[in-house]
Amino acid sequence: MDIKKVGVLGCGLMGSGIAQVAATAGFDVTVLEVEQKFLDKGFAGIEKSLAKFAEKGTLKEPADAVRARLHGTTRREDLADCDIVVEAIIENLQMKREMYGALDAIVKRDAIFASNTSSISVTEMMTATKRPERFVGLHFFNPVPLMKLVEVVRTIATSDEVFETAVEFGKKLGKVPVRTSDKTGFIVNRLLVPYLLDAIRAYEEGVGSIPDIDNAMKLGCGYPMGPFTLLDFVGLDTTYYITHVMYDEFKERRFASPPLLKRLVMAGWYGRKSGKGFYDYADPNNPVPRKF
């Protein structure tokens, strides 16, 4: 199948990033949002990002040419002729199922549906449509324009043709696709989340301070950032949500949320985006580790 037109559901951090890389790769892209103000905010971010890439000389064409391939809409009907629709809305199964169910009757029958979910069962979303064989997961990583990885997730119903088309699509976007199956957490979160939770438990048990644990993993293991810096970057609320999904699936302690993570989320301290997490970001350029 030859993909020419891409639909993106959601123009938040992930959706706008996916739209940007698709347009940069030469695809015609239509982004769907519920309100124009969300499109305006997302497209402003894309334009700022494209300007940075242009300044660095890493774009193959003028930023305006890339921007010309991006279109925003609040009408679902405008996605009717898309060849692939990539969903990047809130991590809520019911909302995703409702969106897919509505689009299933609008988007052409041979189009591929893909979800950017990091933890929700792709199979559960798939059953909201009448195209299970044309449904995959495409899990991009934040920030999408910079991160090279995309997990391509196959369900038990995904056809060989659709799965390989999704892999090739990832390559055309300039990503390195890894093939995986619809097991909760896929590859990255299946391995990463227990590590992050163990770092919190180690802190709770007095193994080391927040900066000491971060520095130990950076300098001892060569990680680009320590676990607490990464947790704040990903979002403590996002991680907390993922722990529920994964613990519900596996019922293993290593996937359960430590008490401290729960308390921080209940307090509204989500990390960088809220200004407080394991670090205080009053000065974003000089975050200060907190003590609990």
Side-chain angles (χ1 to χ4, degrees), residues 6-25:
V6 177
V8 177
L9 308 182
C11 201
L13 191 62
M14 296 303 293
S16 62
I18 294 167
Q20 178 181 324
V21 297
T24 302

Side-chain angles (χ1 to χ4, degrees), residues 195 214 217-218 222-231 233:
Y195 156 68
D214 266 359
M217 297 310 295
K218 285 169 60 180
Y223 291 180
M225 62 179 74
F228 294 105
T229 301
L230 180 57
L231 279 160
F233 180 76

Side-chain angles (χ1 to χ4, degrees), residues 159-177:
S159 74
D160 292 342
E161 177 217 354
V162 166
F163 189 61
E164 292 307 319
T165 298
V167 170
E168 290 305 312
F169 176 64
K171 291 179 182 178
K172 290 177 181 177
L173 296 183
K175 304 303 179 186
V176 177

